[in-house]
Amino acid sequence: IVFTTDGLSSSVGLLSQTFLASIGADEVLAPIATWDAAGNCINNNPLHFITQYSPFKTEAEILQQFQKIPGQTGTRIVIYNLRMQEGKESKPEIDFSEDAHDFRIMSDLDETTGLPTHFSRERPFQKAVDVPIDYSLRAYLSVLYMRPLINDTILR
């Protein structure tokens, strides 16, 4: 569940496999509720799904999470109810131990070498095998929140 605020409004979005399975979704749907600066819920229809499928069971509990974001703007991500890997004893799908500052999709052991491998997916024309945005939340978010380093200007 993702909480974000820009000082003028606050929003919460639910990314939940349990929710998607329960509604029989064929694509990713994320209920999002938003409040204005005065604390009025602008679109409360998704609030029912968020309180039903998240650990926050009331609107008040959700609003308390925004108070935990330091400053006027920011994002808070709460990860809960992780699935366990199939065939793995007590190992969640997310690895919190490999890097103390990152959440990573759990590695599997390569059948030929026996060494841990990162989750990866092939893309057309992809040359690199190790692509951190495939398995690292930190790398993925760095792309989402990246500031462009190039400033293009057209002169006439």
Side-chain angles (χ1 to χ4, degrees):
I1 189 163
V2 179
F3 300 87
T4 189
T5 185
D6 65 3
L8 300 175
S9 65
S10 300
S11 298
V12 59
L14 178 69
L15 300 168
S16 167
Q17 291 177 339
T18 304
F19 165 68
L20 294 174
S22 73
I23 64 169
D26 291 331
E27 56 189 37
V28 176
L29 302 172
I32 299 173
T34 302
W35 291 264
D36 62 19
N40 302 310
C41 192
I42 297 168
N43 58 336
N44 63 2
N45 289 340
L47 199 54
H48 166 74
F49 295 113
I50 296 168
T51 56
Q52 183 177 355
Y53 292 97
S54 82
F56 310 102
K57 300 302 179 194
T58 66
E59 183 177 2
E61 288 178 14
I62 291 170
L63 293 173
Q64 286 175 352
Q65 294 303 306
F66 293 112
Q67 302 306 313
K68 295 180 180 183
I69 297 173
Q72 294 283 329
T73 64
T75 300
R76 176 178 172 80
I77 299 172
V78 177
I79 298 176
Y80 63 96
N81 195 24
L82 291 174
R83 281 195 313 193
M84 304 309 260
Q85 280 188 313
E86 291 182 25
K88 308 270 181 179
E89 248 182 72
S90 341
K91 289 197 175 200
E93 288 183 323
I94 305 293
D95 179 7
F96 300 99
S97 61
E98 186 175 329
D99 183 338
H101 303 288
D102 197 4
F103 299 150
R104 297 179 173 202
I105 295 176
M106 184 61 92
S107 305
D108 286 325
L109 293 180
D110 185 282
E111 292 177 14
T112 13
T113 65
L115 297 173
T117 60
H118 290 295
F119 169 84
S120 64
R121 63 177 210 223
E122 293 184 25
R123 297 172 186 86
F125 309 107
Q126 177 176 318
K127 295 183 182 187
V129 177
D130 186 25
V131 182
I133 62 169
D134 284 345
Y135 59 84
S136 164
L137 180 62
R138 185 180 199 87
Y140 183 76
L141 292 176
S142 74
V143 171
L144 289 179
Y145 292 99
M146 179 173 29
R147 292 193 177 132
L149 300 176
I150 299 172
N151 190 358
D152 294 315
T153 306
I154 299 174
L155 299 175
R156 295 184 181 196

